[in-house]
Amino acid sequence: MSRSRTALPLATWLLGLPGLCCLLLGLILLAGDFARLHPLLGGPAAGLALLVSAIALLGSAAFPFALRRLAEQDRPADDIRTPPAQ
């Protein structure tokens, strides 16, 4: 069973999707006044908190993706060609 080279690791999905949701909701909270729904949603702090959370989640989602890319490029030690002795 071969995996596609473009498939994202599960951890990337599990961290990236909530990160995108936080980003979207943070931008929505910054754009409007939602104090009528809840007093904590009325100020800009709620939107900024979600934006910071989105950056943290999306940054964390990049690590499993980068590790998978590095693992795909890795070769066994006996495949590395050494330069000829002079």
Side-chain angles (χ1 to χ4, degrees):
M1 188 165 145
S2 66
R3 287 193 300 209
S4 171
R5 291 181 60 95
T6 60
L8 294 175
L10 178 63
T12 300
W13 286 106
L14 291 176
L15 292 168
L17 290 177
L20 291 175
C21 290
C22 282
L23 180 67
L24 179 67
L25 291 174
L27 292 173
I28 290 171
L29 283 176
L30 284 176
D33 184 24
F34 293 93
R36 67 186 188 296
L37 294 176
H38 194 278
L40 291 176
L41 299 178
L48 288 175
L50 282 174
L51 287 179
V52 169
S53 297
I55 291 169
L57 284 167
L58 293 172
S60 297
F63 280 101
F65 177 70
L67 291 176
R68 159 95 43 104
R69 296 274 312 253
L70 289 173
E72 288 174 352
Q73 296 173 0
D74 195 20
R75 295 180 296 180
D78 58 352
D79 286 351
I80 297 174
R81 296 186 181 138
T82 56
Q86 294 180 4

